[in-house]
């Protein structure tokens, strides 16, 4: 798994200060440090716009309101901001946020900017009804035919479960070369 490399606050600050104090370009410093030019340029823009606090690592996930998303997209269009300029001005962690918002706005309109549910969808009523067993209405003993139907239902469920378990085991064996 390829993890994203994170740089410490102190490292970012020292890079930005080197650029500021020594009038070094981001290109020359990036070659010296082995970091991409765009990353250094972004740190420098954030530092100029927000100060040293803008270089601190973020805590937790931020959720943006639809009105905020719309205001970012409107500012980009009206003021002809680049993605990088908008990202710095609105304190966003990635240009990808803006790109995704624009795609959703183009495809679904303002409703596309509403927060979307995460995870698996809940089961439909129809699917729930197929799983639930029928409830007996009386307490009188079952007839032989009813007992056999009940046992048949149980055995079918057990058989389906065993088939699923076997399929999962086979799939797991395929993954292990």
């Amino acid at each position: 798994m390829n993890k994203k490399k994170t740089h410490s606050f102190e490292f970012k600050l020292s890079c930005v200060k080197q650029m500021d104090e020594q009038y070094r370009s981001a290109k020359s410093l990036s070659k010296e440090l082995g970091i991409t030019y765009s990353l250094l340029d972004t740190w420098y823009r954030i530092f100029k716009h927000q100060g040293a606090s803008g270089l601190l690592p973020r805590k937790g996930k931020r959720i943006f309101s639809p009105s905020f998303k719309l205001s970012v997209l409107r500012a980009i269009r009206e003021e002809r901001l680049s993605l990088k300029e908008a990202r710095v001005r609105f304190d966003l962690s990635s240009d990808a946020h803006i790109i995704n918002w624009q795609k959703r706005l183009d495809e679904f309109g303002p409703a596309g900017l509403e927060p979307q549910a995460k995870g698996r969808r809940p089961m439909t009523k129809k699917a729930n009804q197929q799983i639930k067993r029928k409830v007996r209405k009386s307490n009188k003993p079952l007839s032989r035919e009813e007992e056999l139907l009940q046992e048949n239902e149980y055995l079918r469920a057990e058989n389906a479960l065993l088939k699923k378990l076997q399929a999962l085991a086979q799939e797991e064996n395929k993954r292990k070369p």
Side-chain angles (χ1 to χ4, degrees), residues 5-174:
K5 185 177 181 183
T6 57
H7 300 282
S8 70
F9 168 73
E10 292 78 18
F11 178 75
K12 293 177 188 177
L13 194 58
S14 71
C15 291
V16 168
K17 287 188 176 182
Q18 281 184 45
M19 289 172 61
D20 215 21
E21 293 169 356
Q22 300 171 6
Y23 302 107
R24 296 178 73 181
S25 74
K27 285 185 181 180
S28 65
L29 188 59
S30 71
K31 286 180 184 175
E32 185 180 313
L33 297 173
I35 299 173
T36 63
Y37 158 77
S38 62
L39 185 59
L40 281 175
D41 185 52
T42 300
W43 291 347
Y44 188 73
R45 288 174 187 250
I46 289 170
F47 179 75
K48 285 296 182 191
H49 193 266
Q50 299 171 14
S53 63
L55 299 174
L56 288 169
R58 297 178 193 271
K59 302 253 192 249
K61 185 177 179 182
R62 294 171 54 196
I63 297 174
F64 302 103
S65 69
S67 60
F68 174 78
K69 295 173 187 178
L70 205 52
S71 67
V72 171
L73 296 173
R74 195 173 289 135
I76 290 171
R77 187 180 63 244
E78 292 173 359
E79 300 174 33
R80 300 195 185 282
L81 297 175
S82 69
L83 288 177
K84 195 177 281 190
E85 290 168 337
R87 176 182 169 193
V88 170
R89 181 193 284 185
F90 293 101
D91 190 27
L92 300 172
S93 61
S94 170
D95 297 347
H97 290 304
I98 301 169
I99 294 167
N100 289 334
W101 296 341
Q102 186 63 55
K103 283 180 184 176
R104 288 198 312 230
L105 181 67
D106 292 344
E107 191 172 340
F108 303 109
L113 299 177
E114 294 290 329
Q116 296 178 343
K118 304 280 187 217
R120 191 175 185 173
R121 286 190 223 127
M123 291 177 64
T124 62
K125 271 189 171 181
K126 189 175 184 180
N128 276 338
Q129 289 172 350
Q130 288 175 350
I131 293 171
K132 291 182 181 175
R133 290 189 57 211
K134 296 174 188 167
V135 179
R136 286 195 61 222
K137 294 181 181 174
S138 69
N139 289 336
K140 68 179 182 176
L142 297 174
S143 68
R144 181 71 181 141
E145 183 183 351
E146 289 172 329
E147 285 178 0
L148 291 172
L149 287 172
Q150 196 174 33
E151 184 180 0
N152 194 11
E153 181 184 352
Y154 174 80
L155 291 172
R156 281 187 180 153
E158 185 179 31
N159 193 17
L161 180 67
L162 291 172
K163 283 181 181 179
K164 285 183 182 180
L165 184 61
Q166 187 178 18
L168 285 172
Q170 286 177 352
E171 189 177 311
E172 188 67 30
N173 287 339
K174 285 180 185 177

